[in-house]
Amino acid sequence: MIAQIFVDLVDGDQLTLAFQGGEPTIAGLPYFRRIKALVEEQTQLKAVAVHYAIQTNGMVINDPWCQFLKENNFLVGLSIDGHPMYHDMHRLDTKGKGTFHRVLKTKHLFDQYEIEYNVLCVLTNPLAKSAKKVYQFLQKENIQYIQFIPCLNDLGVEKRSSYALTPERFASFYRQMLRYWLEELEAGTYRSIKLFDDVFHLMTSRQVNACGLVGNCQVQYVIEADGSVYPCDFYVLDEYRLGYIQEQGLKELFEQDVSKAFLCDKPELSSYCQSCPFLQMCHGGCKRMRDSMYLSKQEDFCGYQTFLKDFLPQLQTIEQHIRAI
């Protein structure tokens, strides 16, 4: 895999290897040390800057893990779902017990080792009702970087799961979070909430820092355990398989008909979208998140549009506060 990834890279390129699961840490530290050694063999031949990231539930992290992550400058995504009640409702160990306090110990280990990490919170429809409790948890634990990941309904099903986020609940959650965030910002504290950061950078410096933010998909080269490659972790399905990394390089995989079809497959915009004042900024957004943060089932409400109407009028004030901090 590593050798094939480097085939199409040249001096000066940048590569990020992000390990996700399942739970990637169960592969064990020897696996990651082997990956690092193989990468170093390649970087002796090509001047490629390699960055590492890992998403973990934090259950097996200990001192040796922390030493490895720190030494190799891993950016870590640590899964903590908002506050104890909701986390322990869904994230159970093999004995059926909640894992919140064990994960919090991992968070404190990361603080101790000064490991760069973000907290990843799955934003379910029930959790979205508790914005105040979530924000209070961020303050109490001094969490500086947080990303809320919308809980999506299964692909191709008619019935919506009770956990799947709705556009209405998305809008109400972020409306409350924005209020608490602005209060902190005015008091001189900046806390990174990814959606706020993404929209701020898009509007102030034209930076697109999130896939789907402006309605365009990208090929992300999701590589499964058997070497099969997919364009997006939302679409790891047979019909979207680009090929196998042990047989083809990144460029050849990108040029597959499946890749072109994925990039060009854009849902037809509803009349509600076409009349949206933010259409040229959003272009319909991420097609996989359409039902969770954009259009309501009746197609008469958009959660993201509602958020932008709250956020954008504050843009100049936000910029002033950030510069002052």
Side-chain angles (χ1 to χ4, degrees), residues 2-135:
I2 297 299
Q4 281 291 86
I5 287 173
F6 272 83
V7 164
D8 294 312
L9 300 180
V10 298
D11 290 352
D13 278 347
Q14 304 228 5
L15 169 68
T16 296
L17 296 175
F19 298 88
Q20 194 170 332
E23 173 51 43
T25 57
I26 62 174
L29 266 176
Y31 169 83
F32 286 91
R33 292 192 176 109
R34 176 66 174 153
I35 290 284
K36 185 71 167 49
L38 292 169
V39 168
E40 287 175 348
E41 288 178 10
Q42 296 294 326
T43 54
Q44 288 175 5
L45 304 174
K46 294 180 180 179
V48 173
V50 181
H51 312 281
Y52 296 98
I54 188 170
Q55 183 170 339
T56 178
N57 60 24
M59 296 297 291
V60 302
I61 298 294
N62 54 17
D63 288 300
W65 267 106
C66 286
Q67 290 164 8
F68 174 82
L69 296 173
K70 181 64 177 178
E71 288 169 3
N72 295 287
N73 298 312
F74 269 70
L75 172 62
V76 181
L78 180 63
S79 297
I80 306 179
D81 289 339
H83 58 87
M85 183 182 76
Y86 284 101
H87 183 101
D88 284 346
M89 192 182 297
H90 307 299
R91 296 187 183 271
L92 309 176
D93 63 17
T94 54
K95 296 180 180 179
K97 295 182 179 180
T99 60
F100 177 82
H101 291 294
R102 286 169 65 182
V103 178
L104 207 58
K105 287 182 179 178
T106 296
K107 184 262 182 196
H108 295 154
L109 265 181
F110 289 161
D111 289 335
Q112 178 185 328
Y113 278 87
E114 298 182 341
I115 291 169
E116 188 176 355
Y117 69 93
N118 301 330
V119 165
L120 303 177
C121 174
V122 177
L123 186 59
T124 62
N125 219 42
L127 179 60
K129 294 188 292 185
S130 299
K132 185 175 182 179
K133 290 182 179 179
V134 171
Y135 209 92

Side-chain angles (χ1 to χ4, degrees), residues 215-285:
N216 295 323
C217 290
Q218 302 170 7
V219 171
Q220 299 179 38
Y221 299 109
V222 176
I223 304 174
E224 289 288 279
D226 63 352
S228 55
V229 183
Y230 303 84
C232 172
D233 61 355
F234 289 145
Y235 293 93
V236 180
L237 303 167
D238 289 349
E239 62 190 283
Y240 293 101
R241 185 171 59 235
L242 306 180
Y244 292 86
I245 192 64
Q246 58 266 47
E247 299 172 1
Q248 297 168 292
L250 300 180
K251 184 178 179 182
E252 190 177 357
L253 288 164
F254 182 82
E255 292 173 346
Q256 299 298 307
D257 290 341
V258 176
S259 173
K260 296 173 184 176
F262 174 78
L263 293 173
C264 295
D265 179 25
K266 296 184 178 180
E268 184 177 345
L269 295 180
S270 68
S271 57
Y272 187 85
C273 283
Q274 292 174 10
S275 64
C276 176
F278 309 114
L279 176 62
Q280 296 307 309
M281 172 183 169
C282 164
H283 299 282

Side-chain angles (χ1 to χ4, degrees), residues 168-191:
E168 293 87 352
R169 198 61 62 74
F170 168 91
S172 65
F173 175 81
Y174 273 105
R175 171 168 286 172
Q176 294 177 71
M177 294 298 285
L178 180 61
R179 186 170 74 248
Y180 305 137
W181 184 76
L182 285 172
E183 288 174 358
E184 274 203 307
L185 195 60
E186 290 170 3
T189 298
Y190 177 75
R191 193 179 308 279

Side-chain angles (χ1 to χ4, degrees), residues 82 130-142 180:
S130 299
K132 185 175 182 179
K133 290 182 179 179
V134 171
Y135 209 92
Q136 288 173 338
F137 169 71
L138 299 181
Q139 292 175 315
K140 178 183 176 183
E141 287 298 327
N142 194 28
Y180 305 137

